[in-house]
Amino acid sequence: MSKDKIDDIFDVTKMEKTIKKAKRRANWKNVLITLIVLIVVIGVGLIGNREINYWLETPVLISSDDFHEISAPDEFIGKLERYQGILGGENHYTTYKMIEGKVVYTGQEKYGFGLFRDEYLNRISMESPSILGDSYTEDELQKQHYNELGQLEMVFFYPFLQYKTYRNDLALLDHIGKDKVMEIALSFDRGYTFKEVQSLIPSKMTLTWLWVDDVNEDKDNFKFKKFDEKNDKVIESENALRSEKTVYGISLLNENGDTKEEPVQSFISAIESGEQYKTRWQGEFKRLDETLSGKDGQLTKDDLRYYGAVVTGDAKILARLKGLPFIKATSIGVITDRY
């Protein structure tokens, strides 16, 4: 071995440099490996979280759409915004009504989904002035209710109850301008078939929605309990009625304002679809299926009867409803400019 090589072996400075260089290479290698592992883990985690979110969201999304299909007279879901978080998220959507081809904004809603939030977004309470609440009894007819946009609430009256007061908003038509169009809820004197309703509604006005008889007259209680302070006891009083926010029925129009080809079947399909998923609406879907189905336990078009309807038009056209014997009460909802 040459003298120079022997000197290199015992050159401490060169040895330290070589060791430091090797350590730096090892450190950079470890950093690179760590970064690659992190990128892979984060990438797989994001993809996995997204797929799990889709799995968690799907039943809630379908149920929400199905529930809106069978409720909310004249109203449709507009823009939908979907937000994903960690193992869950929330969806925000706007709503609108179709009044004689005119789109009228009616507000926005949202719901949650996932392992750490429910459809109510873990909400513990909700409060609002009574004027913005829903109508449940005939005593509440003394004050008109509105939504948060100041739009009138439509109410429906059961045909088999005798109320002290009925809403007769047809009397207001003479005070509504010719340039306005509106929706108006009709409460019938009894249950009618689909064809009967179609034949009863006067021409030129638009039949947009039908209120389905979803109650059991023999078993359901249509009285609200009230406390009698004088006698210190609870009594049953005040006949129940239905707000547009609590009724169920069939939309005859689609989200574009066109006539549906099979509106009754769409209603039935929405109930059958919604009751398959374990969401906040599942119990109500099941109740509707059980209540509406015939003796054979199958829900068909022939099982349905209608207690009311919603029609749209201007004041002149809607005035044709005055004096018709099958109409028990009328309640105006959204009023808007024709153009």
Side-chain angles (χ1 to χ4, degrees):
M1 182 179 294
S2 68
K3 185 178 177 179
D4 292 339
K5 289 184 177 180
I6 294 173
D7 290 340
D8 288 343
I9 294 174
F10 293 100
D11 190 332
V12 177
T13 301
K14 286 186 176 181
M15 187 179 296
E16 287 179 347
K17 289 182 177 179
T18 301
I19 293 172
K20 287 181 179 179
K21 188 176 181 180
K23 284 184 176 179
R24 283 197 299 270
R25 287 179 178 176
N27 288 338
W28 280 112
K29 183 178 181 181
N30 289 335
V31 169
L32 182 60
I33 292 173
T34 300
L35 287 174
I36 293 173
V37 171
L38 283 175
I39 291 172
V40 172
V41 170
I42 292 173
V44 171
L46 289 175
I47 294 173
N49 181 69
R50 184 179 62 185
E51 294 303 316
I52 291 173
N53 277 337
Y54 286 145
W55 177 71
L56 293 170
E57 177 197 25
T58 297
V60 184
L61 178 63
I62 293 174
S63 295
S64 174
D65 288 347
D66 287 337
F67 193 77
H68 212 275
E69 169 76 19
I70 67 173
S71 60
D74 288 349
E75 189 175 88
F76 303 94
I77 293 177
K79 181 176 66 176
L80 173 66
E81 296 179 335
R82 301 161 63 195
Y83 300 91
Q84 289 194 350
I86 298 175
L87 300 179
E90 56 187 69
N91 291 349
H92 300 195
Y93 62 91
T94 60
T95 60
Y96 64 94
K97 287 191 174 187
M98 295 292 293
I99 311 296
E100 289 297 295
K102 177 77 175 290
V103 175
V104 181
Y105 175 73
T106 55
Q108 57 184 350
E109 300 289 343
K110 58 184 178 179
Y111 57 84
F113 60 89
L115 298 182
F116 307 111
R117 68 186 78 187
D118 57 20
E119 290 91 335
Y120 295 99
L121 290 168
N122 300 335
R123 184 179 66 208
I124 60 173
S125 68
M126 183 174 64
E127 300 176 3
S128 66
S130 60
I131 197 171
L132 300 181
D134 304 341
S135 298
Y136 292 100
T137 70
E138 60 180 311
D139 284 2
E140 293 174 317
L141 295 173
Q142 305 305 316
K143 180 177 288 187
Q144 174 69 56
H145 287 181
Y146 303 82
N147 64 18
E148 294 181 15
L149 299 178
Q151 296 163 339
L152 298 172
E153 172 206 36
M154 294 185 293
V155 292
F156 296 82
F157 296 75
Y158 289 110
F160 49 83
L161 295 181
Q162 294 298 319
Y163 297 87
K164 293 177 292 185
T165 305
Y166 288 92
R167 181 69 58 80
N168 178 25
D169 283 358
L170 290 178
L172 303 176
L173 294 178
D174 293 338
H175 305 286
I176 299 176
K178 297 179 180 180
D179 59 338
K180 302 290 184 180
V181 289
M182 70 209 79
E183 61 179 354
I184 185 166
L186 312 178
S187 298
F188 299 155
D189 60 339
R190 63 176 177 86
Y192 290 91
T193 66
F194 186 84
K195 289 184 177 180
E196 286 175 332
V197 174
Q198 288 181 309
S199 66
L200 289 170
I201 301 300
S203 61
K204 295 191 177 181
M205 66 184 65
T206 307
L207 177 62
T208 60
W209 195 85
L210 298 177
W211 173 27
V212 171
D213 168 16
D214 66 316
V215 297
N216 188 317
E217 297 180 33
D218 298 324
K219 296 181 179 180
D220 293 341
N221 184 10
F222 300 96
K223 296 282 188 178
F224 274 74
K225 292 183 178 180
K226 189 176 181 180
F227 185 73
D228 184 356
E229 295 182 358
K230 183 177 180 180
N231 298 309
D232 193 29
K233 65 179 182 179
V234 175
I235 59 174
E236 286 190 332
S237 63
E238 302 183 31
N239 281 333
L241 49 79
R242 299 284 283 272
S243 163
E244 67 173 276
K245 299 177 184 177
T246 61
V247 288
Y248 299 104
I250 296 171
S251 177
L252 304 182
L253 305 179
N254 62 24
E255 63 275 8
N256 296 317
D258 300 322
T259 302
K260 280 186 176 180
E261 292 185 5
E262 295 288 342
V264 182
Q265 187 55 50
S266 294
F267 173 82
I268 295 173
S269 297
I271 292 177
E272 293 174 343
S273 169
E275 64 180 332
Q276 297 178 27
Y277 300 103
K278 191 175 182 180
T279 65
R280 59 181 274 198
W281 305 280
Q282 186 182 44
E284 195 65 358
F285 282 121
K286 289 184 175 180
R287 182 192 73 82
L288 289 168
D289 194 3
E290 294 173 359
T291 304
L292 298 175
S293 295
K295 295 181 180 179
D296 59 357
Q298 297 296 319
L299 178 55
T300 66
K301 300 178 182 180
D302 295 334
D303 296 321
L304 301 178
R305 292 294 180 271
Y306 306 96
Y307 280 169
V310 177
V311 295
T312 62
D314 59 25
K316 182 179 180 180
I317 290 175
L318 294 176
R320 299 181 182 186
L321 296 168
K322 292 181 178 180
L324 295 180
F326 68 92
I327 297 177
K328 191 174 183 179
T330 54
S331 175
I332 289 177
V334 170
I335 303 174
T336 186
D337 294 330
R338 185 186 298 273
Y339 303 107

